[in-house]
Amino acid sequence: VSPYIAGFDALVLGVQLDAGPLFGLKAVRLVPEFAIGLSGDASVLFAVGGEYRFRTLKMSEAGTRIQPHVRVSLGLLAAGGDTSSEFGFNVAYGVTLARPTATGPRLFVEHQGIGFFDHNRLAAGLRWQF
């Protein structure tokens, strides 16, 4: 479960869910996503896609590690006001700060290209593993 806050041109609150391996591959995860845009024209995003999680990279001797990821999803961005609703591909890439212990939340940051980069968001949030 990964709640996040995002923005560039609007404040967005969202959540992603790791629904498990996709195609039986541990590094490829099924990730549904839901987000609500709160500022400007209100919007709602529903998407589902595949996320590839690269190997964890050790960044320091103190144990700081990052895990890069990339996600491609298909979704619907329903917006109000002068903005029309869009159905299309979304692309995201980012990193998760991996903790030396497996418990507790982990910070992640990602760039989201909604509608294949028609709308851009910088998201930051927490990932919990159960």
Side-chain angles (χ1 to χ4, degrees), residues 2-109:
S2 305
Y4 65 86
I5 187 168
F8 269 149
D9 55 356
L11 175 64
V12 177
L13 298 177
V15 65
Q16 301 166 353
L17 175 66
D18 179 348
L22 190 59
F23 308 120
L25 302 171
K26 185 177 178 181
V28 180
R29 315 298 290 183
L30 178 64
V31 179
E33 180 174 8
F34 174 75
I36 299 173
L38 301 174
S39 62
D41 291 335
S43 65
V44 176
L45 171 74
F46 295 100
V48 67
E51 180 173 288
Y52 181 79
R53 296 184 181 164
F54 296 90
R55 287 189 330 190
T56 301
L57 305 171
K58 188 174 181 179
M59 301 305 289
S60 74
E61 293 301 320
T64 303
R65 297 175 291 158
I66 61 169
Q67 184 178 32
H69 66 270
V70 62
R71 184 175 59 258
V72 177
S73 60
L74 189 58
L76 174 67
L77 176 63
D82 295 334
T83 309
S84 62
S85 298
E86 300 175 15
F87 184 75
F89 287 100
N90 305 324
V91 178
Y93 57 90
V95 294
T96 300
L97 182 61
R99 299 165 52 121
T101 61
T103 61
R106 297 175 296 149
L107 178 67
F108 78 95
V109 177

Side-chain angles (χ1 to χ4, degrees), residues 104-126:
R106 297 175 296 149
L107 178 67
F108 78 95
V109 177
E110 70 180 20
H111 175 241
Q112 300 174 346
I114 309 299
F116 208 72
F117 299 102
D118 284 344
H119 306 281
N120 292 280
R121 296 176 177 167
L122 181 61
L126 298 172

